[in-house]
Amino acid sequence: MDFGFRKIYMDTLFLLNGKKSSGMKRYAGPYSHGNAWFSYVEGESENIYEGRFVYRHDYSEYGHQAYTDISGKFADGRKEGRWKFRHLDNGIVIKADIDYSAGNLNGLYHVERCQSLFDGLLTTKKTHELSLQLSNGAPVGDVVGFSRYQSFKAHCDQAGFPDGMWTLVDSDMDKTVNYVEMWEHGILKESFYLDHITGRKITCEEHVRKVIQNIVQHYSYGLERRIEKGSTYWNGRIHSFKGNS
């Protein structure tokens, strides 16, 4: 959808959604290397975004088409509710669904990377996925997902610290390794893998937090920060005590 047609389409949606409130203005034009459609109120130091926000960036990269789509809602200048982030580049689709409350990360944080055909219309393979809940920017409850040959399960307490048993199954190189981490309210008590020949525990470094952070840093973090206004961010780090950052 080109910019001129999309502008008409978005302006029509604004009209269908009702008459603008006093002082409300609409914008449709260039924004952060792409184009955006939103309403705002002029403030003393900056514009206060209000209502639905839509962003689109179409571009060509090494002979193939790519795009970034972002949509969500602002309330009093802060991100509110569920925002959807989509990116297609050379047959790779990245999807992120992130919940906000008054600009803070509260609720679902879900990201996935897929291989696709026909400009993202047909998904052929999901290669990465991460799903969890955030409370004021900290993960709480179960954290699950996978990254190529690795699948993991984790849990964080209500303060956002690792807790309980964390597991990672690594099936790369025709060999499966089961890693286990035992956490107690942010303190790593034990980290090991099982030797299938002897059945012994082999002490090793922790693995799960690194996998989680890599997914966020590579796929959702940059998309989320494309629209920086009115929100906090999560960089994928899960904090702990006693030097285990």
Side-chain angles (χ1 to χ4, degrees):
M1 185 182 296
D2 61 36
F3 176 71
F5 181 78
R6 194 174 180 92
K7 181 179 185 302
I8 296 172
Y9 172 73
M10 292 304 302
D11 284 344
T12 301
L13 283 182
F14 276 123
L15 292 173
L16 291 175
N17 285 335
K19 190 175 181 179
K20 291 187 296 182
S21 61
S22 177
M24 189 79 73
K25 298 184 177 182
R26 290 195 292 262
Y27 178 83
Y31 192 103
S32 184
H33 304 293
N35 294 288
W37 296 259
F38 58 90
S39 297
Y40 68 95
V41 176
E42 290 185 341
E44 292 184 2
S45 59
E46 63 177 7
N47 294 332
I48 301 170
Y49 292 13
E50 190 69 40
R52 183 163 173 75
F53 180 98
V54 177
Y55 170 86
R56 175 84 178 194
H57 180 205
D58 291 278
Y59 61 98
S60 179
E61 185 77 18
Y62 301 110
H64 58 81
Q65 294 302 116
Y67 70 79
T68 298
D69 259 334
I70 300 173
S71 62
K73 184 178 69 174
F74 279 96
D76 197 24
R78 298 180 178 181
K79 288 180 182 176
E80 187 68 34
R82 181 157 301 172
W83 278 62
K84 294 182 178 294
F85 303 82
R86 302 290 185 265
H87 179 71
L88 170 69
D89 188 358
N90 197 24
I92 300 299
V93 177
I94 300 171
K95 302 178 181 180
D97 297 309
I98 303 175
D99 288 348
Y100 301 87
S101 176
N104 296 312
L105 290 162
N106 281 297
L108 177 69
Y109 190 101
H110 180 266
V111 57
E112 60 184 53
R113 176 190 184 272
C114 307
Q115 296 176 347
S116 72
L117 298 173
F118 309 116
D119 287 334
L121 296 178
L122 177 62
T123 297
T124 59
K125 183 180 181 181
K126 188 184 298 184
T127 62
H128 298 72
E129 185 171 22
L130 172 65
S131 186
L132 66 148
Q133 295 285 320
L134 292 172
S135 177
N136 291 319
V140 295
D142 293 335
V143 182
V144 297
F146 61 87
S147 176
R148 293 193 183 277
Y149 308 106
Q150 300 173 323
S151 61
F152 55 87
K153 296 180 180 180
H155 185 84
C156 292
D157 61 23
Q158 292 303 304
F161 293 113
D163 192 46
M165 184 172 70
W166 289 33
T167 61
L168 184 145
V169 179
D170 190 331
S171 301
D172 196 8
M173 302 297 291
D174 297 323
K175 178 182 179 181
T176 299
V177 180
N178 294 275
Y179 295 97
V180 178
E181 301 168 14
M182 302 303 300
W183 291 89
E184 186 175 317
H185 305 299
I187 299 174
L188 182 61
K189 295 292 187 177
E190 191 177 15
S191 181
F192 62 90
Y193 68 91
L194 296 175
D195 187 318
H196 292 291
I197 297 177
T198 65
R200 296 175 56 189
K201 293 182 180 180
I202 309 299
T203 300
C204 63
E205 65 177 10
E206 59 166 305
H207 287 75
V208 182
R209 288 195 299 172
K210 296 176 183 178
V211 176
I212 294 170
Q213 186 172 15
N214 282 339
I215 292 176
V216 173
Q217 289 286 336
H218 282 94
Y219 304 119
S220 53
Y221 185 67
L223 277 178
E224 187 187 8
R225 296 212 61 179
R226 183 68 68 92
I227 309 301
E228 294 193 22
K229 188 176 181 64
S231 63
T232 58
Y233 307 97
W234 184 51
N235 63 7
R237 293 185 65 184
I238 301 177
H239 297 286
S240 63
F241 294 117
K242 290 192 175 180
N244 298 306
S245 60

